[in-house]
Amino acid sequence: MLENDHLIIAGKAYRSRLIVGTGKYPSFEIMREALEKSGAEIVTVAVRRVNLFDKSQPSLLDYIDLKKYTLLPNTAGCYTAEEAIRTARLAREAGFSNLIKLEVIGDQKTLFPDNIGLLKATETLAKEGFVVLPYTNDDPVMAKKLENAGAAAVMPLGAPIGSGLGIRNPYNIKIILEMVSVPVIVDAGVGTASDAAIAMELGVDGVLMNTGIAEAKDPVKMAEAMNYAVRAGRLAYLAGRIPKKLYATASSPLEGMLQ
């Protein structure tokens, strides 16, 4: 049933609705195996943490099959719009595509986004031809502003980055889904498979995660679990859950039963 149900970003179709990061793994080898088990087709790479120019030194890019995965460079670690814009341009000059996961962090402790800077950077990069996927908070008004600024998708957090708290405000996510027409991808806060399934059951178009897989006791097994969870959550959303009721409803109708 999911064979023809694709995630569409900027006109390109992806079979997997799971996007995974490449940081925090115990080793590049484990990262590579986890990517394989995740079934993901898009992987994020922090531009400022990748060795782009010194070919004599190892790079995580050496462990990613570029024929198999679409790279989504991100501006992790940027605290101003100007810094994020410069990092995105650097990524494109280094040979990456126009795809960019845009992060403009507003606070070092919480890692919540600076939405004013994020909106400014989105406007600038979209005008320069970038396919901008901004990481934002779960504010429906800001999500709509980002869409209007040219974002190809919006990526509201489920919970703070790396917290593993799961989806803290499902109601705002639902409102965002109603307010925007671009894909909505939950980014940050997913800690285990049930969190990913819950996100997908809300009707979001995809889930992006890094820490939940990379810092699990067994990243490879967790990557496989997330693969199943995203697919199960999507299928459950398409199936349509039963209404919630206060009282019980008999599984077998009473009508026609022998007395």
Side-chain angles (χ1 to χ4, degrees):
M1 185 174 179
L2 294 177
E3 289 180 2
N4 297 315
D5 179 56
H6 296 151
L7 169 62
I8 309 294
I9 298 178
K12 184 173 180 179
Y14 299 91
R15 294 185 303 276
S16 175
R17 292 176 178 270
L18 174 61
I19 303 172
V20 295
T22 53
K24 301 183 178 181
Y25 287 91
S27 69
F28 288 147
E29 290 80 9
I30 290 176
M31 177 201 74
R32 179 167 55 192
E33 190 175 353
L35 294 183
E36 176 69 27
K37 290 293 186 179
S38 74
E41 295 171 278
I42 305 174
V43 297
T44 66
V45 176
V47 179
R48 302 182 68 185
R49 300 190 183 110
V50 175
N51 171 26
L52 295 174
F53 302 108
D54 187 355
K55 302 302 181 182
S56 67
Q57 298 298 318
S59 169
L60 71 83
L61 297 180
D62 298 332
Y63 293 82
I64 299 174
D65 184 351
L66 300 182
K67 294 180 181 179
K68 184 174 183 178
Y69 301 105
T70 294
L71 291 184
L72 175 60
N74 69 59
T75 62
C78 294
Y79 285 82
T80 66
E82 293 73 21
E83 194 176 14
I85 291 167
R86 187 167 58 250
T87 301
R89 289 169 177 165
L90 173 64
R92 184 157 66 178
E93 290 171 5
F96 291 101
S97 69
N98 288 332
L99 278 172
I100 191 75
K101 180 196 169 189
L102 184 62
E103 296 183 26
V104 181
I105 301 301
D107 176 70
Q108 193 168 15
K109 182 177 181 180
T110 64
L111 299 181
F112 286 141
D114 172 1
N115 283 326
I116 295 174
L118 184 68
L119 186 60
K120 177 182 177 182
T122 298
E123 291 173 341
T124 298
L125 292 173
K127 288 177 181 177
E128 293 183 7
F130 283 90
V131 177
V132 185
L133 285 68
Y135 158 72
T136 182
N137 60 16
D138 56 4
D139 177 359
V141 175
M142 180 53 63
K144 187 62 180 178
K145 287 183 177 181
L146 289 166
E147 179 184 21
N148 292 339
V154 292
M155 307 181 79
L157 55 81
I161 292 173
S163 67
L165 290 173
I167 310 302
R168 295 293 85 196
N169 197 340
Y171 306 104
N172 272 23
I173 301 294
K174 285 186 175 182
I175 295 172
I176 290 173
L177 286 165
E178 292 180 5
M179 291 189 68
V180 304
S181 57
V182 294
V184 175
I185 300 170
V186 166
D187 178 11
V190 172
T192 191
S194 57
D195 297 335
I198 288 170
M200 294 304 299
E201 287 172 7
L202 293 173
V204 301
D205 297 276
V207 178
L208 189 154
M209 65 187 74
N210 186 175
T211 307
I213 294 175
E215 293 195 344
K217 291 182 179 178
D218 188 327
V220 177
K221 283 188 174 65
M222 185 60 79
E224 186 173 10
M226 294 298 190
N227 184 352
Y228 295 143
V230 167
R231 291 160 57 195
R234 178 64 178 176
L235 191 58
Y237 168 72
L238 294 175
R241 65 161 294 140
I242 63 170
K244 294 182 179 181
K245 302 175 183 177
L246 183 60
Y247 297 105
T249 302
S251 298
S252 299
L254 297 178
E255 294 81 2
M257 281 191 169
L258 298 176
Q259 301 297 319

